[in-house]
């Protein structure tokens, strides 16, 4: 695909995710981590203005000067912005105005791309496409949160995207990986994020990693064995989280009249034990692994063995904190704020999920979240 | 008007207030005290179901059994409900569904009223109409908050309802009232709330009360005299409120390029000093009065003198806490939760405001809010 | 007693209350409302410096210039101060240093009083004595809180000061008071606080007030009838308080092996049903009265009838908010901060308690606290 | 030294640290992380009861059965305990009672050690000695916090233990370390903590590490260059911390009349630029390093190069999160709670400090704290 085709495809994909929504669904922010869908549509559009059109396209006139304040996410370099907790308090700009904003910016972007932006600007455009794909995943997870925490449990659509059978048919088989020096980090000349570099050697002891992620019925055994009532499996911080929030099952699980159900993007359904577990915090992942007499793989073990097992339906928590690789360098200016400033107090997830746009992830890709978060499509692969 | 005509008129008035809104405006709850307009439309409809149709209309089938959970405000008698802070997290039921809900309930109510509900049920229906009128005022103030705290400052409409010139043309004249025994509380055989009863005698010392409420320019003098920087005018609790929230002017005032502006329901406007002050907390009202060497009237003084001055544009803070009158009796059942359970930690406001439906208030009417709240159309009348 | 003798007696009484303490007991502040005993001893001493010695005794040299910062309670006029929540974080000045401070100030005060301070300064000294007596009551209640919330339940002493049998032997008799105009407020030429003035007329409907306050066994009936589980008796704010704090009995009550106990200043004891109930919040007082089909008296009813019943063992919650009387005037300067700035969001208590110094209270005395507080010796007298 | 001599020496050392304190200093807990000195003295004594005497010494009678509740720190296995934030609310047991408790337990321990406890129990006793040494460091840092946050700034003693000149005389020299495989983790047959095991290989790229830690004057340059005002040097989380807490210098620095001072354990002193910087959060360490165009070493780089530079005056933040080593195993029972359950959301510090008991640390020692904490003697060594 040409860059122009890619741009068109990515922009269209964001809107396709929102197509089944009612206007009201675009507006709310039930928790700080979940942004309103209309904010995602606006923010991804603002990104093109702020990083491409305004700095690199002389004569470009911003669609609305107030949008910089409304749609900046966290770029200190670019100025003041709506505090994150207020995103759901803004009824305006309206959904229609944001779609108009998208069209306004797309016209300018398509002209700019058609004119041949030059290699350096092309790199920023590719970053922008990857950025918008990341927000496509967030659109899925945020819509699921908004609808799945509504007492009426409305479905997003009847497309059954988030319930995925285990390829392993319940097996617990492990793949063995020998000790040795492994190369870690992105290799190749395509796009990657700065946090995947530089490529470097890591020595790993021999280890074994599960061929398939944990299923619902495997996790149910942990619940039924009293896993949420026994502190020994948990970090102290995780145990506090369990007690303070009265956690007793994965997010979106509901025990209704003695039977487990699960909210899916197609609505509330009886829990299917053969499906892949999802919506698990790091604390729960670690507790489950400990209960099995295992542990989580490190991100290096994961990357070194990713060729030996199937992945891509669930983001898999690793036992690695999100930290810079040797030789990591931030870009100059606002783009330098993209990844580096978050490299503390978060854990790395590897793989991809059902909500990740095709082709967006790769085995060197580093996703990261605080250990208590579980509204993403997060699962568990154990190691030992 | 017949009861049937009243019912039609009141129900229509609620919807008329929302007519200028975009769908997104119906959804948000920027602070806990401000409910989403669609919640008001649903809650006032639920009230008819919960207090009239379900208990008194055998065979009535509720529109949607989940709505009891979604639209119950605070009636413990009637069961579980969405926590108040979550109202703005609910994108569903949608605006269209809520208008359908209104129509469904209206059809049942109109049949019931046409059939002659009997005296006792008529009383509950009249209470329901007064209840819906109270929410009409809240619709105005909540819409103003939602739009007035949006960085784009959209107007509700071009109808200039909330900016009202002072009848007193800036005068500071006082009305004198002699000492004596006064009768306080509702008198007559029309509708009143339980908190206006029983009518009882109160002895008042002689006092003077301002003929007109405070104007913007009068309050501006207090600001310019450093009123927000000098603790001596303030309650300890009010002074903490000023400092913690960095308060330096009434709500909706903005100093832009050295000139005061005011957000009104018709948009952002230069401040007009001759208009009546509004959006003032009890703390500010007390501080202003103290700075003038005066005080606020008690609710008894207010009621005893209300025939001697014009009122009705601003709710006027009084120096009276919201407490039961001698002989106050709660009704049986859920309706008993209407007023009595709030009789602690709130202050009484008297009068009415530009947002109060015509005919809704009267001189014995007792409005009440926590002392820090100021999103209502609240003003100041001083006394001495 | 001469003023000199009074001064000596009051100062000595403060120290006598602390005599049974170990040094460690002087230091802690388990909740914001409970100050460390050594802070009380220092603050009451600072009061003499700040209000008498420094302004009125030329040449007086403060004991330690830092103490103004450490021991100022809330006087904005007098400058910066330790934030209230930090009082329990200060190990210095030590207990010994504070006793030295007391001695240093007492010597100067005794000289000043002996020299004849003049009428105006005498008035401030009398205020200072009343101030110190108020802190003597707080010393009792704060010591009780500190020791009574320690898992070892140490006794303050074996003096059984806080457990008081009901004079009414469990009777429920009511005293009737006819309707009429009553004079309210301090009358006489002795000392009173500014909040007891001016004396004014209040019209009261006829009412009945209980001859004796509620006993433990009467309150136990309320508990056993499910009083803490039924919202109907409670204010909405009180019901939230019950649920949020999991309240199910008065403060200092403990159900141990199925039997109720009560922490007293002489240690943990089996609950004696015939004793006067104590350590009750306003919310609980109102709920109990409602459950009995009664209410609390207003502060005006209380004062008008106080000659007809015994009082003085428990502070009695009234159904009156703490507000200024007609003609209330603040003093000039820092002393003006004594009472007036607290006249919002608090409820009035009348009477006195076992911890009130003899002669300190009177029937026009207005004590006041926020409705959720119950570490004072607070009880219930019902009315109807 | 024999085990008996070691036991005596360690126990005595804890008390020696407290010898200069006044009783009041033993009691307070100004922030949750700082425990009262008397709690440390009691907790370290309880440790012997809970882990040695009660399980391994039949017939041992605990000193006071309530102390298990009072002095358990975080061992879920061992039962209920005072919530951490309440430690400073407990005036009892008194300081004298705790010293008696120490004597009571010491007598039993000395008998037990003299009797020859056997190899397995000896290992637990050695762990207990190391545990008490860790609390000796905390005694220093907590006493410094208690006295250093008192407005009177009392000294702990005139021993100048925490102000240490830089060995590097201000030099910025770097030590070079070649790439290669390094062995990490404890080696030998002495005592080590479980978190130092198992020893394993780590591959490191070549790097350079500063020969000496950062001095006060070097850090002052960062301050004067606006380091606390420029977000670019900070993690997003660190920048929020700076703004929310209004941080503008290391803990214990005070700008008085235009001149920097520093609270030391010997009192308030003018800042000496040649001394080693201390009391720095991880966020500040990272920001400083970034401003110098450098970074922090990882814990593996630190350990691999620790033979090439002097260390031991300041705990040095590393760019490594606190995570289990390959092959890490928790012990059975309560001792298994010692380290493993904290392996999330903390950063590793290496080295030792002026407050670390001699012989307690080693180059494989892993200290760990949350990134915002800075009341320990923490400093910076940069790398590149």
């Amino acid at each position: 695909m040409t860059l122009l085709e890619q741009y068109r495809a990515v922009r269209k994909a964001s809107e396709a995710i929102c197509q089944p929504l009612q206007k009201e669904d675009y507006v709310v922010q039930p928790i700080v981590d979940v942004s309103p869908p209309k904010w995602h549509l606006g923010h991804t559009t603002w990104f093109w203005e702020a990083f491409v059109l305004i700095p690199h396209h002389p004569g470009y006139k911003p669609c609305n000067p107030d949008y910089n304040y409304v749609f900046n996410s966290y770029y200190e370099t670019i100025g003041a912005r709506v505090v994150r907790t207020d995103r759901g308090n803004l009824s305006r700009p309206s959904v229609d105005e944001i779609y108009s904003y998208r069209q306004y910016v797309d016209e300018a972007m398509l002209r700019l791309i058609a004119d041949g932006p030059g290699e350096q600007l092309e790199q920023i455009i590719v970053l922008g496409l990857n950025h918008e794909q990341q927000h496509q995943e967030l659109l899925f997870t945020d819509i699921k949160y908004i609808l799945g925490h509504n007492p009426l449990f409305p479905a997003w659509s009847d497309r059954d995207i988030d319930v995925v059978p285990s390829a392993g048919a319940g097996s617990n088989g492990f793949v063995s990986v020998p000790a040795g020096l492994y190369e870690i980090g992105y290799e190749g000349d395509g796009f990657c994020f700065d946090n995947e570099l530089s490529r470097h050697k890591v020595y790993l002891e021999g280890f074994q990693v599960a061929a398939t992620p944990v299923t619902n019925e495997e996790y149910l055994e942990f619940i039924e064995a009293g896993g949420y009532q026994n502190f020994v499996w948990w970090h102290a911080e995780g145990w506090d989280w369990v007690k303070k929030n009265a956690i007793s099952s994965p997010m979106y699980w509901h025990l209704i009249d003695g039977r487990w159900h699960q909210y899916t993007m197609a609505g509330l359904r009886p829990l299917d034990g053969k499906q892949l577990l999802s919506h698990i915090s790091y604390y729960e992942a670690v507790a489950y692994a400990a209960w099995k007499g295992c542990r989580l793989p490190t991100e290096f073990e994961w990357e070194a063995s990713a060729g030996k097992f199937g992945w891509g339906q669930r983001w898999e928590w690793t036992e690695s904190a999100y930290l810079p690789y040797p030789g990591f360098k931030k870009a100059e200016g606002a783009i330098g704020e993209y990844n580096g400033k978050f490299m503390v107090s978060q854990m790395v997830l590897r793989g991809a999920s059902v909500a990740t746009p095709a082709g967006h992830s790769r085995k060197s890709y580093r996703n990261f979240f605080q250990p208590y978060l579980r509204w993403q499509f997060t699962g568990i692969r154990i190691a030992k």
Side-chain angles (χ1 to χ4, degrees), chain A:
Chain A
M1 279 208 286
T2 65
L3 187 60
L4 202 80
E5 287 164 336
Q6 285 176 52
Y7 182 89
R8 274 204 187 99
V10 166
R11 295 288 285 167
K12 199 168 155 187
S14 301
E15 299 179 7
I17 296 165
C18 298
Q19 186 274 326
L21 299 184
Q22 300 201 14
K23 263 193 189 154
E24 294 85 342
D25 303 326
Y26 282 92
V27 179
V28 301
Q29 180 183 33
I31 55 169
V32 62
D33 310 287
V34 167
S35 293
K38 82 184 177 75
W39 185 88
H40 286 296
L41 293 180
H43 166 70
T44 48
T45 303
W46 164 87
F47 192 95
W48 300 111
E49 277 198 326
F51 290 87
V52 177
L53 293 169
I54 293 172
H56 299 292
H57 192 355
Y60 175 76
K61 192 173 156 289
C63 179
N64 181 326
D66 288 328
Y67 288 179
N68 191 50
Y69 180 76
V70 172
F71 292 122
N72 181 359
S73 52
Y74 56 71
Y75 295 88
E76 303 274 352
T77 312
I78 297 180
R81 59 194 182 277
V82 167
V83 291
R84 181 164 184 161
T85 46
D86 269 355
R87 288 178 187 166
N89 297 335
L90 301 190
S91 60
R92 312 289 180 91
S94 68
V95 173
D96 290 345
E97 284 166 334
I98 289 170
Y99 277 107
S100 299
Y101 179 34
R102 291 184 70 86
Q103 200 177 337
Y104 180 94
V105 164
D106 282 351
E107 282 165 15
M109 280 298 300
L110 290 169
R111 271 196 308 273
L112 181 147
I113 296 173
D115 289 352
E119 191 181 345
Q120 207 185 336
L121 195 50
E122 268 193 27
Q123 281 179 17
I124 299 177
I125 293 170
V126 171
L127 175 67
L129 294 173
N130 277 276
H131 171 259
E132 183 140 354
Q133 287 182 315
Q134 291 181 313
H135 281 276
Q136 286 165 11
E137 175 136 16
L138 292 170
L139 273 169
F140 271 116
T141 56
D142 292 4
I143 290 168
K144 182 168 183 178
Y145 194 99
I146 289 166
L147 301 178
H149 285 78
N150 188 298
L152 308 178
F153 291 125
W156 164 67
S157 88
D158 52 7
R159 282 171 51 205
D160 218 5
I161 72 142
D162 54 343
V163 184
V164 187
S166 170
S171 131
N172 260 327
F174 282 85
V175 173
S176 286
V177 184
L181 271 178
Y182 290 85
E183 294 279 333
I184 297 296
Y186 182 71
E187 184 177 31
D189 51 9
F191 172 81
C192 76
F193 284 108
D194 55 1
N195 63 15
E196 300 170 57
L197 295 174
S198 59
R199 187 160 165 91
H200 63 290
K201 291 192 189 63
V202 170
Y203 181 84
L204 299 175
E205 309 279 339
F207 65 97
Q208 293 186 287
V209 62
T212 56
V214 171
T215 60
N216 286 337
E217 69 188 1
E218 288 175 311
Y219 196 79
L220 201 47
E221 287 175 38
F222 171 67
I223 295 179
E224 289 171 352
Y228 283 98
Q229 284 80 48
N230 190 342
F231 67 88
V232 300
W233 313 119
W234 299 81
H235 285 116
E237 188 179 291
W239 186 240
D240 287 346
W241 173 81
V242 163
K243 287 184 297 181
K244 188 176 168 193
N245 300 288
I247 304 288
S248 59
S249 67
M251 185 175 274
Y252 298 119
W253 286 33
H254 300 273
L255 193 59
I256 301 173
D257 297 334
R259 192 169 170 201
W260 282 108
H261 289 68
Q262 181 180 24
Y263 176 78
T264 75
M265 296 197 79
L268 197 65
R269 299 274 185 88
L271 186 76
D272 181 342
K274 303 298 183 196
Q275 309 279 337
L276 289 181
L277 174 69
S278 193
H279 300 296
I280 283 291
S281 70
Y282 175 73
Y283 303 130
E284 290 166 299
V286 166
Y288 175 82
W291 176 74
K292 294 288 282 187
C294 292
R295 58 178 177 84
L296 302 182
T298 66
E299 63 168 321
F300 311 109
E301 290 172 335
W302 194 96
E303 187 170 334
S305 59
K308 306 194 172 189
F309 52 72
W311 54 269
Q313 271 75 42
R314 298 289 179 257
W315 285 105
E316 303 179 11
W317 287 108
T318 71
E319 202 167 69
S320 296
Y322 182 49
L323 291 165
Y325 281 175
F328 169 72
K329 285 272 173 274
K330 282 197 213 183
E332 290 294 308
I335 284 177
E337 296 189 54
Y338 203 99
N339 271 311
K341 75 181 186 182
F342 301 112
M343 289 180 174
V344 67
S345 304
Q346 310 210 37
M347 299 305 292
V348 172
L349 302 103
R350 290 301 194 99
S353 88
V354 292
T356 314
H360 177 73
S361 192
R362 58 204 150 260
K363 79 182 166 91
S364 62
Y365 195 100
R366 305 174 80 199
N367 200 350
F368 51 92
F369 282 102
Q370 276 88 2
Y372 62 88
L373 288 170
R374 53 186 201 160
W375 96 109
Q376 296 297 301
F377 294 99
T378 49
I380 310 176
R381 181 185 304 272
I382 58 177
K384 58 187 180 185

